[in-house]
Amino acid sequence: MEKQSWAEPYKIKMVEPVFETTREQRQKAIKESGYNTFLLKSEDVYIDLLTDSGTSAMSDRQWAGMMLGDEAYAGSRNFFNLEDAIREFYGYRFVVPTHQGRGAEHILSQLLIDDGDIVPGNMYFTTTRLHQELAGGKFADIIVDEAHDPKITFPFKGNVDLTKLEKLIAEHGAEKIPYVCIATTVNMAGGQPISMKNLKELRELTNKHGIKIIHDMTRVAENAFMIQQLEAGYSDRSVKEIVKEICSYTDGATMSAKKDAMVNIGGFLAVNDEQLFDDARNLVVIYEGLHTYGGLAGRDMEAMAIGIAESVQDKHIAARVGQVQYLGRKLLDAGIPIVLPIGTHGVFIDAKQFLPHIPQEEFPAQQLAAEIYLEAGVRSMERGVVSAGRDQVTGKNHMPELELVRLTIPRRVYTQAHMDVIAEAVIRVYKRREEVQGLKMTYEPKYLRFFQARFQPIAPEPNDTTHENDETFASCTVGGADSGVGQL
Ligand SMILES: *Cc1c(COP(=O)(O)O)cnc(C)c1O
C-alpha cells in the first residue's frame, strides 16, 4: 500500500528559540548538578524531555482565555467555566480546583484514609503514594504482573489483577480499604493503559464490597485513545465518548491538568459524593485557597477549561501519541531496549538491558540519563531505584523491577526533526555503552529524593580533569527515609 503520512493538526504561530551547548559546557553542567537532571538549569538544556508536566504548548484559544481571567477572590466566572467543562467532558458532579495534582491528592488522602488503611492501586505514583502514606495508609500494588516486565507486549499493562485485590479484601476486610486508586495511563509502568473491560470488572468487584474507585485521571485522554485503537468494540467511538465512559465507572478523580489538559499549572479534585465534596471544599481553604480558586488565578482556570476540551479531540490525541510512537519505533529499529508496548507520553529506555554491566545499586538509569544529556543536551529523567525511594518501615531501598530512563514528550512543543535528533543521540550513547560506569549517591534528601539527590561517578571519566572538588560530595551523608517517590 502507498505510504500515507499524518501531520500535526496545527501550525505554529509563535516560536521560542532553543540553544545547543558544547560537550565541555555539558560536562561542567552535569557535574555541578550532581549527575541529577532535575538539578540542571534549563538554559543548559537543548531538548527538554524531563517531563510532560506543565511543559506543553497552549493553543491560541487557551492564550486568549488567559486574557479573560476574572480575578475575583470568590466566585470567579472562570471557576464556573471549569466546572462546566469537567461536568461535560468527564461527568463528575462536584469540583474543587487545586494548584496541581498533588494538591488534590493531599486533600483526598486526608479525607478518606485512616491510620492502618490499605490503598490498592495499579502501580504506585510518587506523590500519590507519599500522600497516602502521610495520611496513615499503606499502598498495595495490584497491577497485573506483565506491567513489571518491560519485554512483554501485552497491550493493557495498566490493568488491575482482580485476584490480587480479592486477596487484599479477604486478608484485611473491605472496611480497611477506603478506595482503589486507578491511574489512566500508568506513568510508572511506562505510560501503559488500562482496558475498559478490566475497569468494568473492577467496578463490579468494588461495588460488591462497597469500595470506592478514585481515578488518577492525569492522562485519561491518552488512555482513551489506546482503548479506541486496541480494544474490541471501541474503534468507532470518539476519544471524547471513551473518556466519559472511563470516568463513569469511578467515584471521583484527582487531576494534574499540567499533563492532558495542557496548562502550565493547575489541577482539581472532582467527586460525585456531596458530603465528600463539602469536606473537600472545607479542607481546601486551609492548604490551597478558597474553593472557587484553589491556588489558581482565574486565567489559569479558564485555560484549563479550554485545554480539557482540546485534549479529547481525536486528531489532537492521535498526533500526540503518534509522535511518541514515532520516536519509540526509531529507537526500536536501532535495537535500543525500551519498554514495550511504546507508552503514550514518553519512551522509556530499559537501563538494566542498556547497561547490563552496571548493578542496580550503582543507579544505571540515573547514569544513563546523565549520559544522554552529556551526548546531546537532551534532558530525560530516571524512573528506577532512585525514584522508588526507601521502605518507610525498614529504611531499605525499594528495588523496583523497572529501572528506566524516561524520554517524556511535551504536547505540541517539538517537531519530528527534534525526534530524529533525540533518537540519534540515544543511539550514539548505545554504541559506546560499555564505557559507561556507575554512580554513587552522595546526598539523599528525606522526601521524594529523586528531585534533589546528588551523585558522583564511581570511577573518574578518562579525560575528565574536573574532579578536584569531589570531597564536598563525598563527605555528604546518605540515609534519608524516603517513602517513595515522587512525581511528575
Ligand atoms: C504528575 C502526576 C501526578 C501529580 O501531579 P502534579 O500536578 O505534578 O502535582 C499524579 N499522578 C500522575 C500519574 C502524574 O503523572
Tab-separated table of all heavy atoms in Angstrom, residues 120-143:
chain	number	residue	atom	x	y	z
A	120	PRO	N	-5.082	0.086	47.585
A	120	PRO	CA	-4.581	-0.625	46.407
A	120	PRO	C	-4.561	0.296	45.188
A	120	PRO	O	-5.387	1.209	45.086
A	120	PRO	CB	-5.611	-1.746	46.197
A	120	PRO	CG	-6.490	-1.728	47.414
A	120	PRO	CD	-6.430	-0.342	47.969
A	121	GLY	N	-3.620	0.035	44.286
A	121	GLY	CA	-3.548	0.840	43.068
A	121	GLY	C	-2.869	0.084	41.949
A	121	GLY	O	-2.137	-0.883	42.191
A	122	ASN	N	-3.131	0.528	40.682
A	122	ASN	CA	-2.441	-0.093	39.554
A	122	ASN	C	-1.061	0.553	39.407
A	122	ASN	O	-0.841	1.421	38.601
A	122	ASN	CB	-3.255	-0.055	38.255
A	122	ASN	CG	-3.698	1.343	37.839
A	122	ASN	OD1	-3.616	2.284	38.610
A	122	ASN	ND2	-4.165	1.471	36.606
A	123	MET	N	-0.171	0.140	40.224
A	123	MET	CA	1.198	0.617	40.406
A	123	MET	C	1.155	1.959	41.134
A	123	MET	O	0.154	2.667	41.095
A	123	MET	CB	1.966	0.712	39.092
A	123	MET	CG	3.482	0.595	39.275
A	123	MET	SD	4.353	0.516	37.698
A	123	MET	CE	4.681	-1.236	37.543
A	124	TYR	N	2.228	2.260	41.813
A	124	TYR	CA	2.246	3.484	42.605
A	124	TYR	C	2.587	4.673	41.722
A	124	TYR	O	3.158	4.537	40.663
A	124	TYR	CB	3.297	3.356	43.713
A	124	TYR	CG	4.716	3.595	43.245
A	124	TYR	CD1	5.312	4.842	43.429
A	124	TYR	CD2	5.453	2.616	42.598
A	124	TYR	CE1	6.600	5.082	42.984
A	124	TYR	CE2	6.747	2.848	42.154
A	124	TYR	CZ	7.309	4.086	42.342
A	124	TYR	OH	8.575	4.335	41.887
A	125	PHE	N	2.214	5.850	42.172
A	125	PHE	CA	2.840	7.051	41.643
A	125	PHE	C	3.466	7.783	42.826
A	125	PHE	O	2.962	7.734	43.940
A	125	PHE	CB	1.857	7.961	40.895
A	125	PHE	CG	2.581	9.101	40.266
A	125	PHE	CD1	3.390	8.886	39.176
A	125	PHE	CD2	2.533	10.365	40.817
A	125	PHE	CE1	4.138	9.919	38.625
A	125	PHE	CE2	3.273	11.400	40.279
A	125	PHE	CZ	4.079	11.173	39.178
A	126	THR	N	4.568	8.466	42.549
A	126	THR	CA	5.398	9.037	43.609
A	126	THR	C	4.616	9.915	44.592
A	126	THR	O	4.527	9.606	45.773
A	126	THR	CB	6.522	9.823	42.949
A	126	THR	OG1	5.944	10.773	42.067
A	126	THR	CG2	7.450	8.914	42.168
A	127	THR	N	4.020	11.009	44.109
A	127	THR	CA	3.313	11.918	45.031
A	127	THR	C	2.062	11.260	45.597
A	127	THR	O	1.699	11.489	46.741
A	127	THR	CB	2.883	13.216	44.320
A	127	THR	OG1	2.130	12.874	43.161
A	127	THR	CG2	4.093	14.050	43.912
A	128	THR	N	1.400	10.462	44.765
A	128	THR	CA	0.156	9.820	45.191
A	128	THR	C	0.423	8.917	46.395
A	128	THR	O	-0.259	8.986	47.412
A	128	THR	CB	-0.424	8.970	44.033
A	128	THR	OG1	-0.289	9.693	42.822
A	128	THR	CG2	-1.866	8.621	44.273
A	129	ARG	N	1.451	8.071	46.272
A	129	ARG	CA	1.759	7.145	47.362
A	129	ARG	C	2.221	7.903	48.604
A	129	ARG	O	1.834	7.556	49.719
A	129	ARG	CB	2.843	6.142	46.924
A	129	ARG	CG	3.133	5.122	48.023
A	129	ARG	CD	4.068	4.031	47.557
A	129	ARG	NE	5.420	4.519	47.386
A	129	ARG	CZ	6.419	3.796	46.879
A	129	ARG	NH1	6.200	2.562	46.473
A	129	ARG	NH2	7.622	4.308	46.758
A	130	LEU	N	3.017	8.922	48.412
A	130	LEU	CA	3.504	9.667	49.577
A	130	LEU	C	2.335	10.288	50.343
A	130	LEU	O	2.282	10.218	51.572
A	130	LEU	CB	4.506	10.741	49.144
A	130	LEU	CG	5.149	11.531	50.284
A	130	LEU	CD1	5.804	10.614	51.306
A	130	LEU	CD2	6.194	12.503	49.739
A	131	HIS	N	1.357	10.853	49.640
A	131	HIS	CA	0.201	11.431	50.338
A	131	HIS	C	-0.636	10.357	51.022
A	131	HIS	O	-1.165	10.573	52.115
A	131	HIS	CB	-0.650	12.274	49.386
A	131	HIS	CG	-0.088	13.654	49.199
A	131	HIS	ND1	0.062	14.529	50.243
A	131	HIS	CD2	0.394	14.284	48.108
A	131	HIS	CE1	0.604	15.653	49.798
A	131	HIS	NE2	0.829	15.524	48.504
A	132	GLN	N	-0.730	9.183	50.403
A	132	GLN	CA	-1.449	8.080	51.046
A	132	GLN	C	-0.740	7.684	52.343
A	132	GLN	O	-1.369	7.473	53.380
A	132	GLN	CB	-1.527	6.872	50.096
A	132	GLN	CG	-2.444	7.127	48.900
A	132	GLN	CD	-2.213	6.144	47.756
A	132	GLN	OE1	-1.331	5.278	47.819
A	132	GLN	NE2	-3.003	6.268	46.708
A	133	GLU	N	0.579	7.640	52.282
A	133	GLU	CA	1.340	7.230	53.466
A	133	GLU	C	1.310	8.303	54.549
A	133	GLU	O	1.195	7.998	55.736
A	133	GLU	CB	2.792	6.931	53.065
A	133	GLU	CG	2.910	5.645	52.259
A	133	GLU	CD	4.302	5.422	51.667
A	133	GLU	OE1	5.125	6.363	51.677
A	133	GLU	OE2	4.547	4.311	51.191
A	134	LEU	N	1.406	9.571	54.134
A	134	LEU	CA	1.368	10.652	55.126
A	134	LEU	C	0.009	10.683	55.841
A	134	LEU	O	-0.091	11.138	56.976
A	134	LEU	CB	1.665	12.005	54.461
A	134	LEU	CG	3.106	12.199	53.966
A	134	LEU	CD1	3.238	13.489	53.152
A	134	LEU	CD2	4.111	12.204	55.121
A	135	ALA	N	-1.031	10.172	55.185
A	135	ALA	CA	-2.358	10.113	55.811
A	135	ALA	C	-2.535	8.865	56.669
A	135	ALA	O	-3.599	8.646	57.238
A	135	ALA	CB	-3.435	10.166	54.723
A	136	GLY	N	-1.514	8.021	56.715
A	136	GLY	CA	-1.581	6.816	57.560
A	136	GLY	C	-1.873	5.538	56.805
A	136	GLY	O	-2.014	4.470	57.394
A	137	GLY	N	-1.985	5.618	55.494
A	137	GLY	CA	-2.307	4.442	54.688
A	137	GLY	C	-1.070	3.709	54.203
A	137	GLY	O	0.054	4.177	54.368
A	138	LYS	N	-1.331	2.543	53.623
A	138	LYS	CA	-0.249	1.770	53.039
A	138	LYS	C	-0.668	1.405	51.627
A	138	LYS	O	-1.752	0.844	51.415
A	138	LYS	CB	-0.008	0.513	53.876
A	138	LYS	CG	1.254	-0.243	53.487
A	138	LYS	CD	1.530	-1.352	54.506
A	138	LYS	CE	2.759	-2.188	54.235
A	138	LYS	NZ	3.347	-2.228	52.927
A	139	PHE	N	0.185	1.724	50.671
A	139	PHE	CA	-0.113	1.421	49.276
A	139	PHE	C	0.091	-0.074	49.002
A	139	PHE	O	1.033	-0.677	49.512
A	139	PHE	CB	0.806	2.246	48.371
A	139	PHE	CG	0.833	1.774	46.956
A	139	PHE	CD1	-0.195	2.112	46.085
A	139	PHE	CD2	1.861	0.965	46.493
A	139	PHE	CE1	-0.195	1.649	44.782
A	139	PHE	CE2	1.868	0.503	45.186
A	139	PHE	CZ	0.839	0.847	44.329
A	140	ALA	N	-0.805	-0.682	48.222
A	140	ALA	CA	-0.623	-2.077	47.805
A	140	ALA	C	-0.742	-2.155	46.284
A	140	ALA	O	-1.733	-1.691	45.711
A	140	ALA	CB	-1.673	-2.969	48.460
A	141	ASP	N	0.253	-2.719	45.651
A	141	ASP	CA	0.280	-2.776	44.187
A	141	ASP	C	-0.564	-3.938	43.679
A	141	ASP	O	-0.300	-5.093	44.017
A	141	ASP	CB	1.736	-2.934	43.713
A	141	ASP	CG	1.877	-2.689	42.215
A	141	ASP	OD1	0.862	-2.395	41.556
A	141	ASP	OD2	3.018	-2.792	41.720
A	142	ILE	N	-1.588	-3.642	42.894
A	142	ILE	CA	-2.442	-4.713	42.359
A	142	ILE	C	-2.438	-4.707	40.823
A	142	ILE	O	-3.343	-5.228	40.186
A	142	ILE	CB	-3.895	-4.598	42.870
A	142	ILE	CG1	-4.479	-3.200	42.590
A	142	ILE	CG2	-3.969	-4.899	44.362
A	142	ILE	CD1	-5.984	-3.122	42.767
A	143	ILE	N	-1.406	-4.126	40.246
A	143	ILE	CA	-1.330	-4.129	38.786
A	143	ILE	C	-0.995	-5.549	38.309
A	143	ILE	O	-0.419	-6.346	39.063
A	143	ILE	CB	-0.274	-3.099	38.302
A	143	ILE	CG1	-0.538	-2.659	36.855
A	143	ILE	CG2	1.160	-3.663	38.438
A	143	ILE	CD1	0.219	-1.397	36.449
